[in-house]
């Protein structure tokens, strides 16, 4: 969680998801390329369509998610987060030009 918030998300914002995937380990790269289309299909062809049809929401799924013990582990991880932000500066030379802050 800490790596995602402080490192991966700013890195993806600075360089883009494709760059990050291309520079990951072989296992991570193959995994992301395998699961990304499946995740996209579930969202665009199933979840969004269901919401657009005003289908009833399965409240058991939501309550099961909210009561999952993983939230306690994430809370502990959040307490371990360093007090200093770890991020990619917006004016770094590897930041996409359209995302650079003008000075």
């Amino acid at each position: 969680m800490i790596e995602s918030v402080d490192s991966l998300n700013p890195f993806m914002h600075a360089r883009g998801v494709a760059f990050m995937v291309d520079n990951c380990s072989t296992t991570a790269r193959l995994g992301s390329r395998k699961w990304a289309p499946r995740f996209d299909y579930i969202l665009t062809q199933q979840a969004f369509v269901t919401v657009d049809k005003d289908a009833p929401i399965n409240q058991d799924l939501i309550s099961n998610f909210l009561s999952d013990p993983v939230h306690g582990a994430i809370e502990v991880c959040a307490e371990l987060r360093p007090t200093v932000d770890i991020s990619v500066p917006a004016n770094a030379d590897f930041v996409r030009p359209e995302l650079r802050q003008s000075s």
Side-chain angles (χ1 to χ4, degrees), residues 55-63:
I57 295 171
N58 183 341
Q59 294 299 325
D60 288 339
L61 291 176
I62 293 172
S63 62

Side-chain angles (χ1 to χ4, degrees), residues 8-25 28-30 32-33 36 94 96 98-99:
L8 293 177
N9 290 345
F11 187 82
M12 285 189 301
H13 180 72
R15 290 193 171 187
V17 175
F19 182 89
M20 189 193 74
V21 168
D22 290 342
N23 289 283
C24 283
S25 67
R29 188 170 51 251
L30 293 174
S32 68
R33 291 196 173 127
F94 55 81
R96 296 192 321 248
E98 67 271 17
L99 297 176

Side-chain angles (χ1 to χ4, degrees), residues 1-3 6 10-12 21-22 26 31 48 50 54 64-65 73 81 88 91 95 98:
M1 182 182 93
I2 295 167
E3 182 180 358
D6 290 341
F11 187 82
M12 285 189 301
V21 168
D22 290 342
T26 301
F48 293 161
T50 302
D54 290 326
N64 289 345
F65 171 77
R81 186 174 185 225
V88 177
N91 59 354
V95 174
E98 67 271 17

